[in-house]
């Protein structure tokens, strides 16, 4: 157990729908990062939050949004889902937001859009 | 921009063979370098890291040396086991004032047979 909790583990939904993925960071970690992993694109950085504020944005589609709440858990919202959104979505947290620190990853949410 | 290039897999070895997975990077300044491992059905786990040139990271028999002159961080292990079968990701992180995120390579699958 890495200490980063993601729910649900699996999600199957239809095109056009909206889903919410949830992440609780490791205790004490203020930074939360979201990544999408697919076979063709590899690991793509989506967005980072630090202590409730958006800090960095990567290749995140406009249909996707995220937020981090006062208790530091984060949610990734995916709307108007398309078949191509099927992927593994990982959340990670970090003790400090500096280059010498790696991330601790959760076990991911596998999203299947049918 | 920052990028990481890994050798394509799968790398197929017999148990007790020597392992090398090549990783090179492109980045300005002095990034930190990381190797992560992903076992089937799991999230990424930090394997080792190096934060400055000539540093050697090591863990569980794996080693990698930060070579700035060749911009490389190759992963090595002297004798692999079947349990080492997984996908290995090389990554870099730069920036010390926040706003620094991990950039990953595409991953290299390692298959070890008995």
């Amino acid at each position: 157990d890495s200490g980063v909790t993601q729910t649900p583990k699996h999600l199957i939904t239809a095109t056009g729908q909206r889903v919410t993925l949830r992440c609780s960071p490791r205790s004490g970690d203020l930074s939360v990062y979201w990544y999408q992993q697919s076979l063709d694109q590899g690991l793509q950085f989506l967005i980072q939050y630090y202590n409730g504020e958006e800090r960095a944005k990567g290749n995140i589609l406009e249909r996707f949004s995220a937020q981090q709440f006062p208790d530091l858990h984060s949610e990734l919202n995916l709307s108007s889902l398309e078949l191509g959104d099927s992927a593994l979505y990982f959340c990670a947290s970090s003790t400090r937001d500096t280059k010498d620190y790696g991330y601790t990853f959760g076990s991911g949410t596998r999203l299947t859009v049918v | 921009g920052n990028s990481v290039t890994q050798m394509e897999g799968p790398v197929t070895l017999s148990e007790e063979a020597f392992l090398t997975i090549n990783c090179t990077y492109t980045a300005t300044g002095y990034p930190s370098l990381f190797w992560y491992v992903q076992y089937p059905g799991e999230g990424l786990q930090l394997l080792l890291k190096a934060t400055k040139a000539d540093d050697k990271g090591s863990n569980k028999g794996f080693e990698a040396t930060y070579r700035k002159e060749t911009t490389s961080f190759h992963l090595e292990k002297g004798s692999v086991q079947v349990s080492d079968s997984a996908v290995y990701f090389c990554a870099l992180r730069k920036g010390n004032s926040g706003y620094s995120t991990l950039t990953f390579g595409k991953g290299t699958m390692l298959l070890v047979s008995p």
Side-chain angles (χ1 to χ4, degrees):
Chain A
D1 181 7
S2 69
V4 178
T5 304
Q6 288 190 249
T7 56
K9 291 196 179 307
H10 302 277
L11 202 47
I12 302 175
T13 190
T15 54
Q17 295 298 305
R18 172 189 169 96
V19 296
T20 297
L21 312 183
R22 182 188 167 99
C23 168
S24 293
R26 205 174 50 164
S27 178
D29 287 357
L30 299 179
S31 278
V32 169
Y33 310 81
W34 286 97
Y35 280 79
Q36 179 193 60
Q37 185 180 36
S38 60
L39 281 173
D40 53 344
Q41 295 292 323
L43 270 163
Q44 296 287 314
F45 168 66
L46 296 178
I47 197 164
Q48 176 203 357
Y49 278 82
Y50 179 84
N51 202 20
E53 295 188 0
E54 182 185 303
R55 180 158 276 193
K57 233 173 184 177
N59 300 320
I60 188 165
L61 300 172
E62 284 191 14
R63 300 183 284 109
F64 296 179
S65 65
Q67 53 185 328
Q68 187 179 28
F69 295 87
D71 67 352
L72 300 179
H73 92 270
S74 178
E75 294 181 355
L76 179 66
N77 300 296
L78 315 177
S79 60
S80 303
L81 285 167
E82 302 175 359
L83 295 177
D85 297 326
S86 296
L88 260 174
Y89 291 84
F90 285 108
C91 165
S93 69
S94 180
T95 303
R96 295 184 65 181
D97 196 18
T98 62
K99 74 177 187 70
D100 292 349
Y101 286 78
Y103 301 168
T104 301
F105 280 82
S107 57
T109 294
R110 181 172 293 281
L111 172 67
T112 303
V113 182
V114 297
Chain B
N2 305 326
S3 66
V4 176
T5 302
Q6 294 180 233
M7 61 189 290
E8 287 198 25
V11 173
T12 306
L13 295 173
S14 298
E15 207 165 23
E16 299 183 3
F18 185 87
L19 167 71
T20 300
I21 299 179
N22 290 338
C23 169
T24 57
Y25 68 90
T26 301
T28 57
Y30 302 92
S32 291
L33 302 173
F34 303 81
W35 276 102
Y36 279 81
V37 59
Q38 185 178 27
Y39 298 101
E42 298 184 14
L44 280 75
Q45 301 173 26
L46 179 63
L47 183 58
L48 53 84
K49 71 175 183 181
T51 59
K52 60 183 187 296
D54 301 323
D55 266 3
K56 177 186 284 190
S58 61
N59 186 24
K60 300 180 181 179
F62 291 89
E63 292 183 340
T65 301
Y66 188 166
R67 302 281 188 206
K68 187 155 180 66
E69 63 275 15
T70 54
T71 62
S72 65
F73 192 54
H74 305 321
L75 182 69
E76 296 181 336
K77 187 176 185 183
S79 175
V80 294
Q81 306 300 312
V82 172
S83 58
D84 293 327
S85 298
V87 180
Y88 292 81
F89 292 89
C90 184
L92 71 82
R93 188 175 189 185
K94 59 172 293 193
N96 245 345
S97 57
Y99 311 96
S100 72
T101 59
L102 272 172
T103 299
F104 287 90
K106 289 191 177 296
T108 302
M109 179 178 286
L110 170 64
L111 299 171
V112 181
S113 57

